[in-house]
Amino acid sequence: MTIQLLVTNDAMVVQGDPLVDWLDLDAIKNFNEPGSGSVTLPALPEVMAQLQPGNRLTVIRDGAIWMTGPMEVPTDYSWSVDGDPGPGQVKVSFSDDLATIAGYITWPEPALTWAGQHGSTWRKFNAINSEAVIRALVNENCGPGAIAARRIPNLILDGVTGAGSSTTLNTRFEPVLEVCRRAALDGGGIGFRVRQDGTQLKFGCYVPADKTATARFSQGLGNLRSVSFRQSSPGLTHALVAGNEIEDNTIRTYVEVPDPTAAAMWWRVERFIDGGADNDTNGELTAAGTAEVAEGAAPIELSTVTVDTDDLKAGRDFDLGDKVAVALPHGLEVTDIVRSIHLQASPESGESVATLVGSPDATTDPQMVQLIRTLSRRLGRLETRGKSDVH
């Protein structure tokens, strides 16, 4: 295990010597979601001097950046007369750079100030490659293409990869990352991330790889410490999407988006979806239904505790979004997407890596995630729907 911890300022300039003598490290990387972590350190003066508001923490594992991002809680200090007679301990909580983007919402007219927004306007993308949609959402709301007050320092767009298929999307006043996830799902399950390159933060998309032939976990291979598996019934098999109610007596548009395979295997589960568009001419209503069906698919939650070997290592041989294979002890083999990778380490016990594999909601309680995501979309549609568009 080789782990190095560096503190930088928001311009990625290193603020002092690497943090040594750390007591424990916990860092979770998530697929298309912000990552988070914490580290406990001795509260030495040279350490405390680096833990300033606005600074960043970088975790380097075996020479490569594992996670880097802003400190959300730079100093959580504790000391007790009953404990270690030394200077005490300080716990630092940090996130990765997707968490910064998560603080923004989609403006319907991002080139204008907030006071200049028109309440009846929607930001629309009609039949556009999903990577282009995701890049545009980030660029115009918090990237270099945003108005000056909204730009995240040092954030630029990474190179175009051609990831994803065509998608259609309408949005306004929704969390930017939630809309990006919707576009990623509808566009074929692509990934997006922020990576640090020198003093720049590069946001880009990528196509996860199918690693089931090479990234395999089992007792026999010696890289599987524990496993828990749960498969649940679908929360939705038929999205019943309705277009906007039109005041000029035009018949309201209705679109059904089914998942016949899930319905046949389990049972039919219907849900009414407010599509947020007048009609399905450009596929807006179908896209809304497709995203809901994807999120409501029968959740497969596969949580594994793995150990790196010379032949298979997290971050080197497989990463977030990749499809991997896990052989369960009773003979069943499961293949699905890597949703999160959890690194835990301490000088005494070494490191362990837990990989969570499964459905889009496998990273937390599926019902709560579904509720939050549904509410966020609906809140963005509560304003009066007008017919003026921004393309």
Side-chain angles (χ1 to χ4, degrees), residues 47-319:
V47 171
M48 300 298 288
Q50 297 188 53
L51 306 182
Q52 301 300 318
N55 281 354
R56 300 166 52 83
L57 185 70
T58 299
V59 179
I60 300 174
R61 180 184 183 228
D62 295 336
I65 293 179
W66 177 266
M67 181 182 294
T68 181
M71 297 181 185
E72 296 185 324
V73 183
T75 52
D76 185 357
Y77 174 78
S78 63
W79 177 88
S80 171
V81 68
D82 298 323
D84 190 325
Q89 298 180 356
V90 59
K91 181 176 180 180
V92 178
S93 298
F94 59 98
S95 62
D96 68 15
D97 289 297
L98 278 181
T100 308
I101 297 175
Y104 288 77
I105 64 172
T106 58
W107 287 17
E109 297 173 283
L112 303 180
T113 65
W114 180 250
Q117 302 295 307
H118 297 86
S120 60
T121 304
W122 288 74
R123 182 66 171 102
K124 290 195 171 189
F125 300 91
N126 294 325
I128 300 174
N129 173 269
S130 57
E131 178 183 20
V133 172
I134 294 169
R135 287 168 61 89
L137 286 167
V138 171
N139 180 50
E140 65 192 22
N141 284 288
C142 59
I147 61 175
R150 303 185 74 204
R151 293 174 194 159
I152 295 175
N154 306 304
L155 180 66
I156 65 172
L157 296 181
D158 211 338
V160 176
T161 63
S165 56
S166 179
T167 187
T168 295
L169 182 145
N170 295 351
T171 183
R172 62 175 179 179
F173 313 138
E174 297 179 274
V176 168
L177 281 192
E178 173 57 34
V179 184
C180 289
R181 281 191 291 268
R182 198 157 77 234
L185 272 173
D186 192 51
I190 67 173
F192 54 83
R193 61 193 168 198
V194 179
R195 65 182 183 90
Q196 181 178 326
D197 183 5
T199 60
Q200 294 180 319
L201 302 174
K202 295 184 175 181
F203 175 88
C205 299
Y206 66 98
V207 180
D210 187 341
K211 298 289 186 72
T212 52
T214 57
R216 305 177 65 83
F217 302 95
S218 71
Q219 287 179 296
L221 292 173
N223 57 11
L224 186 63
R225 288 181 176 175
S226 67
V227 60
S228 62
F229 172 73
R230 182 175 75 173
Q231 185 171 16
S232 307
S233 62
L236 172 67
T237 64
H238 289 71
L240 307 179
V241 189
N244 297 337
E245 294 187 76
I246 310 299
E247 296 180 357
D248 59 2
N249 295 321
T250 302
I251 297 176
R252 193 176 188 184
T253 303
Y254 296 92
V255 174
E256 181 177 347
V257 181
D259 183 347
T261 301
M265 180 179 297
W266 297 89
W267 47 77
R268 183 182 178 105
V269 183
E270 299 178 343
R271 182 182 301 155
F272 174 80
I273 308 298
D274 187 345
D278 291 346
N279 53 58
D280 201 39
T281 302
N282 295 303
E284 295 100 325
L285 302 184
T286 297
T290 299
E292 292 283 349
V293 168
E295 290 187 354
I300 295 176
E301 297 175 59
L302 178 64
S303 178
T304 66
V305 176
T306 64
V307 58
D308 280 350
T309 65
D310 291 339
D311 297 324
L312 188 61
K313 183 176 180 180
R316 185 193 70 187
D317 302 307
F318 68 93
D319 215 326

